[in-house]
Amino acid sequence: MKKNFIKLSIIFFIVFSFVVIFIYGLNPKYGLTSEQLKKHDNLTAEQTIKIFAYYTNKGNLNEINNILSPNVLEEFKGSEQDKSCNNEKYSSNSIFLTNIEQIEKENNSNRKIYERRIYLTYWSDNLLVKLGYKPNNKNATYSTEIELIKETKDSNWIILNVGNPI
């Protein structure tokens, strides 16, 4: 009887460990296709934000350097090197995008850009978000403004600024 309990406990522990590792390894794709994750062409502004969230959680900003302005890329790469930074935005814990709201849109705001948009994004560190749970905005860990521009009608969206938590 005692041997069966020990065997059952070991099996339960192994299965539980695999489930935890599987859930921990998930990175939500936010409805993006594998083609969109590889090629960042012809994306909407919302899809560009989702690509940013996906690769930020993977800790691989080299994959998305073409959708980040040089200032944003430098800011995030500098934060990876500066481990003493206490800003929540640069936390080593995974924080997942839960909602995107457009708060401003300008067409032909000046002759250098075609369109400019600002979004309010909501982020959560809830483990259930990895499994597809979408908390409402009140349960978001924090919100951040993200500014995107499109230089010409046919160009891709570029993240110009990732604001501080509001």
Side-chain angles (χ1 to χ4, degrees):
M1 188 73 154
K2 198 173 189 181
K3 289 181 183 181
N4 288 338
F5 178 74
I6 292 172
K7 287 179 185 178
L8 199 57
S9 297
I10 291 171
I11 290 171
F12 176 76
F13 177 74
I14 291 171
V15 169
F16 181 75
S17 297
F18 279 118
V19 169
V20 168
I21 290 169
F22 173 76
I23 291 172
Y24 184 76
L26 287 177
N27 185 9
K29 294 183 179 179
Y30 305 110
L32 298 167
T33 65
S34 58
E35 183 70 22
Q36 290 170 326
L37 291 171
K38 289 178 186 174
K39 293 184 177 181
H40 309 137
D41 297 330
N42 301 319
L43 298 174
T44 64
E46 292 85 359
Q47 289 171 331
T48 302
I49 293 171
K50 290 176 181 180
I51 294 267
F52 171 73
Y54 176 80
Y55 281 109
T56 300
N57 280 337
K58 287 185 81 165
N60 190 351
L61 293 177
N62 292 328
E63 289 290 328
I64 57 169
N65 59 10
N66 62 334
I67 66 168
L68 299 175
S69 71
N71 292 340
V72 173
L73 188 61
E74 183 179 313
E75 178 182 354
F76 276 85
K77 285 192 175 189
S79 69
E80 287 175 356
Q81 295 169 357
D82 183 14
K83 300 299 181 189
S84 64
C85 184
N86 291 327
N87 191 336
E88 192 174 84
K89 179 169 71 171
Y90 305 121
S91 171
S92 61
N93 297 332
S94 294
I95 298 180
F96 303 98
L97 181 66
T98 60
N99 197 13
I100 303 171
E101 293 178 6
Q102 182 175 317
I103 56 174
E104 190 175 329
K105 177 180 178 180
E106 293 178 28
N107 290 331
N108 296 322
S109 59
N110 64 35
R111 295 175 191 244
K112 293 182 180 180
I113 63 169
Y114 173 74
E115 190 172 347
R116 175 182 167 266
R117 293 185 187 179
I118 298 176
Y119 289 87
L120 187 59
T121 57
Y122 295 91
W123 304 80
S124 175
D125 59 359
N126 187 335
L127 181 64
L128 296 176
V129 172
K130 287 184 175 186
L131 300 173
Y133 167 70
K134 286 199 160 208
N136 61 24
N137 297 346
K138 295 174 189 164
N139 293 333
T141 302
Y142 69 90
S143 56
T144 301
E145 283 187 7
I146 296 182
E147 180 180 3
L148 295 98
I149 60 167
K150 194 171 194 175
E151 294 176 342
T152 66
K153 183 178 182 179
D154 297 326
S155 66
N156 294 321
W157 286 98
I158 296 173
I159 296 176
L160 186 64
N161 185 24
V162 178
N164 292 325
I166 297 175

